[in-house]
Amino acid sequence: MIRLRNRQMNHEPVTPVPGGPPLRRDNYELKNTSPHLGGERLTSTYDLVEQTYHLYVRVVKAKELPLGADPYVEVKLGNYRGRTNHFEKKTNPEWNQVFAFSKDRIQSSTLEVYVKDKEMFGRDDYIGRVVFDLNEIPTRVPPDSPLAAQWYRVEDRREHSEIMLAVWMGTQADEAFPEAWHSDASFVQGEGVFNVRSKVYVSPKLWYLRVNIIEAQDVIPNDRTRVPEVSVKVEVGNQMLRTKITSSRTMNPVWNEDFMFVAAEPFEEHLVLTIEDRVHPLRDEVLGMLSLPLTMFEKRLDHRPVHSRWFNLERYGAGDMKFSSRVHVRACLEGGYHVLDESTLYISDQRPTAKQLWKQPCGILEVGILGAQGLLPMKMKDGRGSTDAYCVAKYGQKWVRTRTILETLNPKWNEQYTWEVYDPCTVITLGVFDNCHLGAEKPERDSRIGKVRIRLSTLEAHRIYTHAYPLLVLHPSGVKKMGELQLAVRFTTLSLANMVYLYGHPLLPKMHYLNPLTVNQVDTLRYQAMNIVAARLGRAEPPLRKEVVEYMLDVDSHMWSMRRSKANFFRIMSLLSGLFSVSKWFNNVREWKNPVTTVLVHILFLILLWYPELILPTICLYMFLIGLWNYRFRARHPPHMDPKLSWAEVVHLDELDEEFDTFPTSRPPDTVRMRYDRIRSIAGRIQTVVGDLATQGERFGSLLSWRDPRATSLFVVFSLCSAVVLYMTPFRVVALVTGLYMLRHPRFRSKLPSVPSNFFKRLPAKSDSLL
């Protein structure tokens, strides 16, 4: 294997990406930053971002305007102008709209608020105006109460009109900030106005629907001279499964087959059962149909049995709507499972669907999305490169989207968000995108700029991490750094005892172990769950678009990739290199390369041979000392995307062409396409298995690496206690207890994983750093 690795390394030299900057390892490293968090006045909610000030103008309403006017309000500050919608022929209009002007871009000492008539033309086409001196405007910072609006008389020679306004200087922590019209997006028109605002989204509540098709009665074929070949087609929304075909001569076919579907609240789809007769290899005849609303099914929280029911089928094509057949069905909504919509390697939520089964949160995650640096131009505007960037963060059921900063390669968001943490062994995902839905041009798909993943268990509690994460994207020409994302992250634990308690419990809810799903079911249901989440979030205002949701949820992570397969292979080789080093060291001892070491090994061997009860205490004490020694070299920053680990720096163009090829492939001819897809499917499974093996080995290496400070602390303390106990307990007693425990009767065993297994599955691996 070593020769194979050396041959592979020599075969693929590191080459720069065509058209891009030279590949330098330091370009992809995590960088420490020193932002001025909190500003002059620290607040409890916005202490992880740089404080920015904005001039807010709330236009509430007006009264006693001239008759026949179509009024609207224009807010002018220097070169910036913001306008409300106009009303036709209304003397007492209400707008209730907020305008925000960044303090850094204020170039005037006065604020002018004009009340205008849309039908007037000319230079002084306003009904009246109100002028404010910026030096006299008050400052408000939450948790202060909102500033009360006041009536102001507009300056007009003919009328006595008034307008209700509130003007204040505030920060981005102000409640009006997300919905305000911002001066840096003044040229955005139409629907694009909604697409530049910051929003918080919540994923729909997903359920697994279990349907057991048991049997049917009185199934009469249209042609009674032939033996019917009957099957049941089960549909929920866009999901469709089918039972096996029964070819018995009875009119009461039996299937007893289980199916699983994904459903989302509120339940809009129906469960549709269709009994079909295969009259020809290419044609089925419908014998009966049944449509049932999902709300009628029982919600099950555990594995207790559910009662089955008989339902009458509607005779297909019968004008008098007679019911002649029945179907026996057992169906329920599973609340004890966690519906997987993301890869288990980067899972951000492990709670079951039913809220009654949720535990108390164990911590708080706070993320300050400061900004980005050095973004590459994503599109052309007025003959020059431009990027309209926004950031999306996903953790648990909560998605957040920052506002879009227009036409800048160094956007500053300075927005802070908070999540409740129910398990520390979870991952938060942040992605940066270019907004292509600003209304001026034809809408396109939002372009990917890069993605960052942070595993919470790798963070020390109560510490603020301020780093610039590289944004890396793989293109058909190779890996490219698109810029850097600046974040401030803090993970606060609520109870250390509860945190330690979680490390000994299963990662997923009990139902995943008591009644597990098959691998094919998990893959299919995850794909359906992703489609449902993307569809529901796409119906929000503004929509979180499908391409964004799919990128955040790694929709194509299961696809075959020669690059990822190589990365997983060399992860395993990296783990085996430790065994090779031990073998080489032992050969050196045998060869007396270092006489002092060889003599010490002989002495240790004689001691352990003479006192075998010291073997296990010595091993545990050795691991304890290694753990203490490695504490000095513990990681000081969270993991990040590593192009070298991902095997993205050294990759052939033909392999990239294969990775970016469509599935099914678009390469001719048809025979090659069929074989090519089959090979990719098989290789994708092998790739997953190899990755799982590498993950298990890396978790074993994480026991003493302090990658997860809490897990390593627990293991180090356990090693010390084990060394003491094993020293005081005879070896025969330990061997007897261990043997009897391993050979105990199955009735004394739990179906749930053991505490050591749960602890081991929660350890971090390098899969978080794969691109």
Side-chain angles (χ1 to χ4, degrees):
M1 284 188 290
I2 294 179
R3 290 195 298 269
L4 176 61
R5 181 181 182 182
N6 292 336
R7 188 184 305 119
Q8 187 71 33
M9 293 291 288
N10 295 331
H11 179 64
E12 297 188 354
V14 179
T15 57
V17 177
L23 289 177
R24 293 182 53 191
R25 180 63 184 164
D26 55 354
N27 287 341
Y28 304 136
E29 291 294 337
L30 204 66
K31 297 179 182 179
N32 288 309
T33 58
S34 301
H36 185 54
L37 302 181
E40 300 175 357
R41 178 178 178 181
L42 294 177
T43 62
S44 59
T45 57
Y46 267 69
D47 59 341
L48 291 183
V49 293
E50 297 178 347
Q51 195 174 74
T52 59
Y53 281 92
H54 301 266
L55 174 63
Y56 292 97
V57 181
R58 181 184 297 276
V59 180
V60 183
K61 56 185 176 180
K63 65 180 182 180
E64 299 181 6
L65 297 180
L67 295 175
D70 298 335
Y72 70 93
V73 176
E74 181 179 274
V75 182
K76 179 183 178 183
L77 181 64
N79 295 326
Y80 294 106
R81 297 172 183 264
R83 292 177 50 178
T84 66
N85 295 327
H86 77 280
F87 292 95
E88 294 184 0
K89 307 298 186 291
K90 197 167 186 179
T91 59
N92 299 312
E94 293 187 12
W95 294 282
N96 198 26
Q97 184 173 346
V98 180
F99 298 85
F101 301 87
S102 176
K103 184 179 179 181
D104 296 337
R105 299 185 179 183
I106 293 179
Q107 301 176 351
S108 176
S109 60
T110 59
L111 170 70
E112 298 174 286
V113 180
Y114 292 89
V115 181
K116 293 190 175 183
D117 184 357
K118 194 175 187 299
E119 298 299 327
M120 292 184 179
F121 298 94
R123 187 169 183 178
D124 299 321
D125 56 347
Y126 62 89
I127 300 174
R129 69 170 185 169
V130 181
V131 180
F132 295 90
D133 187 352
L134 297 188
N135 296 322
E136 303 297 330
I137 293 177
T139 300
R140 175 198 174 243
V141 178
D144 294 348
S145 298
L147 190 67
Q150 301 181 40
W151 285 106
Y152 293 88
R153 185 177 299 276
V154 297
E155 299 177 3
D156 184 33
R157 297 185 300 271
R158 297 165 295 175
E159 302 290 344
H160 299 283
S161 304
E162 292 183 319
I163 183 172
M164 180 176 282
L165 301 171
V167 183
W168 72 96
M169 189 71 69
T171 66
Q172 74 270 38
D174 200 289
E175 296 87 348
F177 181 82
E179 296 293 337
W181 173 96
H182 289 271
S183 58
D184 54 4
S186 57
F187 64 87
V188 179
Q189 303 295 332
E191 295 294 330
V193 174
F194 301 99
N195 288 314
V196 300
R197 294 175 177 173
S198 58
K199 289 292 180 181
V200 176
Y201 305 83
V202 178
S203 294
K205 189 175 183 180
L206 301 178
W207 293 77
Y208 281 144
L209 173 64
R210 186 186 296 273
V211 181
N212 179 222
I213 307 298
I214 303 174
E215 58 181 331
Q217 283 185 352
D218 301 330
V219 178
I220 303 174
N222 296 329
D223 183 6
R224 302 189 182 186
T225 62
R226 52 177 296 276
V227 177
E229 299 181 3
V230 183
S231 64
V232 180
K233 182 172 65 174
V234 189
E235 296 177 273
V236 178
N238 296 325
Q239 309 168 64
M240 190 273 288
L241 296 173
R242 188 186 296 272
T243 64
K244 297 179 181 178
I245 297 177
T246 62
S247 57
S248 60
R249 294 182 178 273
T250 178
M251 292 188 299
N252 302 321
V254 177
W255 296 280
N256 197 24
E257 295 186 31
D258 242 358
F259 300 100
M260 295 287 286
F261 301 91
V262 179
E265 288 187 357
F267 300 118
E268 300 174 350
E269 295 85 7
H270 283 61
L271 172 64
V272 180
L273 304 179
T274 307
I275 293 186
E276 298 180 342
D277 182 16
R278 178 66 57 85
V279 297
H280 187 272
L282 300 178
R283 186 167 66 90
D284 295 330
E285 282 188 357
V286 178
L287 303 181
M289 293 185 65
L290 175 65
S291 180
L292 301 172
L294 300 185
T295 53
M296 69 177 297
F297 298 125
E298 180 182 357
K299 295 180 179 179
R300 186 171 70 167
L301 305 184
D302 50 23
H303 58 286
R304 60 183 174 83
V306 176
H307 296 293
S308 59
R309 299 173 60 181
W310 285 94
F311 296 95
N312 293 324
L313 289 172
E314 177 183 343
R315 181 71 176 177
Y316 185 78
D320 54 357
M321 303 294 289
K322 292 182 180 180
F323 294 89
S324 59
S325 304
R326 297 197 306 167
V327 63
H328 195 191
V329 177
R330 179 185 293 110
C332 66
L333 292 165
E334 297 281 9
Y337 289 90
H338 171 72
V339 181
L340 296 168
D341 60 345
E342 53 194 347
S343 173
T344 54
L345 297 177
Y346 322 121
I347 194 168
S348 64
D349 188 15
Q350 299 150 348
R351 293 170 292 172
T353 298
K355 200 169 185 178
Q356 302 93 308
L357 303 178
W358 291 4
K359 305 295 184 181
Q360 292 296 320
C362 64
I364 300 294
L365 173 64
E366 299 167 278
V367 177
I369 305 176
L370 304 179
Q373 289 289 331
L375 298 182
L376 297 183
M378 302 300 295
K379 54 179 175 283
M380 299 298 294
K381 280 187 179 180
D382 301 328
R384 59 184 179 86
S386 176
T387 298
D388 305 319
Y390 66 93
C391 181
V392 175
K394 195 268 182 187
Y395 183 79
Q397 295 182 341
K398 179 179 176 181
W399 299 65
V400 300
R401 169 180 176 163
T402 67
R403 63 192 183 101
T404 302
I405 307 299
L406 305 177
E407 297 187 357
T408 178
L409 304 181
N410 301 298
K412 295 290 184 182
W413 294 294
N414 285 306
E415 299 182 25
Q416 183 172 336
Y417 299 95
T418 304
W419 288 267
E420 288 184 335
V421 177
Y422 291 85
D423 196 301
C425 301
T426 46
V427 177
I428 181 174
T429 303
L430 302 100
V432 182
F433 303 87
D434 176 47
N435 197 333
C436 297
H437 296 79
L438 300 180
E441 63 277 347
K442 182 180 179 181
E444 299 177 357
R445 292 170 58 92
D446 288 350
S447 303
R448 307 171 179 178
I449 298 180
K451 182 165 54 179
V452 173
R453 289 190 290 257
I454 302 176
R455 183 172 291 272
L456 271 59
S457 61
T458 62
L459 304 176
E460 298 179 9
H462 310 286
R463 174 184 168 186
I464 298 178
Y465 291 83
T466 55
H467 293 96
Y469 295 80
L471 297 172
L472 306 177
V473 173
L474 194 67
H475 292 281
S477 58
V479 67
K480 182 178 293 186
K481 181 179 178 180
M482 308 296 290
E484 296 176 343
L485 177 63
Q486 296 178 344
L487 301 174
V489 182
R490 177 172 57 202
F491 176 44
T492 305
T493 57
L494 302 179
S495 172
L496 181 60
N498 187 26
M499 194 73 65
V500 174
Y501 171 82
L502 287 174
Y503 271 89
H505 280 69
L507 200 64
L508 293 171
K510 292 182 180 179
M511 285 295 292
H512 287 270
Y513 306 100
L514 300 177
N515 195 3
L517 306 175
T518 64
V519 175
N520 289 336
Q521 280 182 318
V522 171
D523 291 341
T524 303
L525 293 174
R526 177 181 171 237
Y527 178 75
Q528 298 296 341
M530 286 190 298
N531 287 337
I532 292 176
V533 171
R536 290 292 179 93
L537 295 180
R539 290 160 54 181
E541 184 62 42
L544 198 60
R545 305 190 181 277
K546 183 178 181 181
E547 61 268 20
V548 174
V549 177
E550 290 181 347
Y551 183 57
M552 298 291 289
L553 295 179
D554 291 299
V555 66
D556 56 351
S557 60
H558 66 287
M559 297 294 292
W560 159 255
S561 166
M562 180 68 75
R563 176 188 59 84
R564 279 195 290 259
S565 297
K566 287 181 180 179
N568 290 330
F569 172 77
F570 285 105
R571 287 168 62 193
I572 294 180
M573 293 300 301
S574 177
L575 296 174
L576 296 179
S577 63
L579 297 178
F580 298 147
S581 299
V582 172
S583 176
K584 182 178 179 180
W585 172 84
F586 185 71
N587 287 332
N588 291 337
V589 170
R590 293 179 57 199
E591 296 294 335
W592 290 77
K593 295 290 184 64
N594 190 335
V596 177
T597 302
T598 304
V599 171
L600 291 177
V601 170
H602 277 77
I603 295 175
L604 179 61
F605 172 72
L606 293 175
I607 293 175
L608 296 180
L609 182 64
W610 195 259
Y611 301 101
E613 63 273 10
L614 295 180
I615 295 178
L616 292 180
T618 301
I619 294 176
C620 293
L621 184 61
Y622 182 63
M623 288 190 292
F624 170 74
L625 295 176
I626 291 178
L628 290 183
W629 179 262
N630 288 344
Y631 180 77
R632 299 171 51 198
F633 311 104
R634 67 190 186 279
R636 303 304 177 93
H637 53 74
H640 64 285
M641 299 294 184
D642 190 343
K644 185 177 182 180
L645 180 67
S646 305
W647 208 247
E649 290 184 331
V650 282
V651 59
H652 286 308
L653 293 181
D654 58 335
E655 295 174 0
L656 285 175
D657 178 72
E658 179 186 28
E659 182 169 350
F660 282 90
D661 188 15
T662 58
F663 189 86
T665 178
S666 58
R667 303 296 185 267
D670 295 339
T671 303
V672 175
R673 180 184 298 115
M674 182 272 294
R675 295 176 179 176
Y676 184 51
D677 291 343
R678 182 176 59 187
I679 293 175
R680 292 175 72 185
S681 177
I682 296 174
R685 295 185 179 275
I686 298 175
Q687 165 189 308
T688 303
V689 172
V690 174
D692 290 341
L693 293 175
T695 298
Q696 304 308 318
E698 289 165 355
R699 285 173 177 168
F700 184 80
S702 299
L703 285 171
L704 300 174
S705 67
W706 294 94
R707 180 71 273 184
D708 183 344
R710 285 163 290 276
T712 304
S713 301
L714 289 174
F715 185 76
V716 168
V717 174
F718 172 79
S719 300
L720 178 61
C721 296
S722 300
V724 175
V725 172
L726 292 174
Y727 177 79
M728 300 176 62
T729 306
F731 177 78
R732 293 182 179 86
V733 175
V734 175
L736 178 64
V737 172
T738 303
L740 293 177
Y741 179 79
M742 297 295 294
L743 299 175
R744 68 192 186 280
H745 194 274
R747 71 173 57 182
F748 300 111
R749 301 177 184 177
S750 173
K751 291 185 178 181
L752 298 179
S754 62
V755 172
S757 175
N758 295 330
F759 179 85
F760 184 78
K761 290 179 180 179
R762 292 175 174 275
L763 294 172
K766 292 182 179 180
S767 56
D768 302 333
S769 302
L770 283 178
L771 187 64

